Amino acid sequence: MNSKESEQATITISAAGAGMSQLRFTNRMAVYEGTACSGTPVVGTASGTFTFMGKKQVGKAAVDKVVVRLAGVDAPNASVVPRESKDLLAIINSRLYTGSVEVSAPRDGAGYPVDLWMDFPSTKQ
């Protein structure tokens, strides 16, 4: 995260029903005081669904547009977490990428990020 702390996120994704138009997720975020992900972390969790809304081209990749709906948030800054937002999901070289997470990141006319956040992909465990 920065020169004084580190974080470890674990996201669990599963089908929300028949078909693959919606997925359920649980995200556990642990923030540590040191840079080695050690010690006692401050832990936050979020759960909800991704609903697929079609595809979009970002650079050379065709990515999925999703509406993220949070069912629950247990985190120190939970009051500022949007309950519904638009995002992107893409699997590139077996890694999961999301759209730009900054609130001020550029969005297209429909409200989706225009870029993927390439700095921190998720890997399948």
Side-chain angles (χ1 to χ4, degrees), residues 34-55:
T35 58
C37 286
S38 60
T40 303
V42 174
V43 177
T45 60
S47 62
T49 59
F50 297 124
T51 301
F52 291 90
M53 305 301 289
K55 295 231 179 239

Side-chain angles (χ1 to χ4, degrees), residues 34-80:
T35 58
C37 286
S38 60
T40 303
V42 174
V43 177
T45 60
S47 62
T49 59
F50 297 124
T51 301
F52 291 90
M53 305 301 289
K55 295 231 179 239
K56 166 183 172 145
Q57 197 71 26
V58 175
K60 295 181 180 181
V63 304
D64 291 302
K65 298 186 300 182
V66 296
V67 171
V68 181
R69 289 185 180 89
L70 293 178
V73 178
D74 177 17
N77 61 349
S79 63
V80 298

Side-chain angles (χ1 to χ4, degrees), residues 10-14 24-28 45-50:
T10 304
I11 186 167
T12 304
I13 301 172
S14 61
R24 232 181 257 111
F25 72 87
T26 302
N27 186 12
R28 179 186 183 274
T45 60
S47 62
T49 59
F50 297 124

Side-chain angles (χ1 to χ4, degrees), residues 4-125:
K4 296 184 181 184
E5 59 186 29
S6 56
E7 67 181 45
Q8 182 180 40
T10 304
I11 186 167
T12 304
I13 301 172
S14 61
M20 290 298 288
S21 64
Q22 193 174 71
L23 298 174
R24 232 181 257 111
F25 72 87
T26 302
N27 186 12
R28 179 186 183 274
M29 179 72 66
V31 179
Y32 299 86
E33 283 190 32
T35 58
C37 286
S38 60
T40 303
V42 174
V43 177
T45 60
S47 62
T49 59
F50 297 124
T51 301
F52 291 90
M53 305 301 289
K55 295 231 179 239
K56 166 183 172 145
Q57 197 71 26
V58 175
K60 295 181 180 181
V63 304
D64 291 302
K65 298 186 300 182
V66 296
V67 171
V68 181
R69 289 185 180 89
L70 293 178
V73 178
D74 177 17
N77 61 349
S79 63
V80 298
V81 176
R83 297 295 176 197
E84 184 173 300
S85 61
K86 293 180 177 180
D87 204 351
L88 305 174
L89 295 178
I91 297 176
I92 302 170
N93 296 325
S94 299
R95 293 173 184 243
L96 176 65
Y97 294 89
T98 62
S100 296
V101 296
E102 297 297 324
V103 173
S104 61
R107 304 253 168 195
D108 65 17
Y112 291 93
V114 298
D115 293 312
L116 292 172
W117 192 31
M118 302 302 286
D119 295 337
F120 297 101
S122 298
T123 56
K124 186 176 180 180
Q125 300 293 316

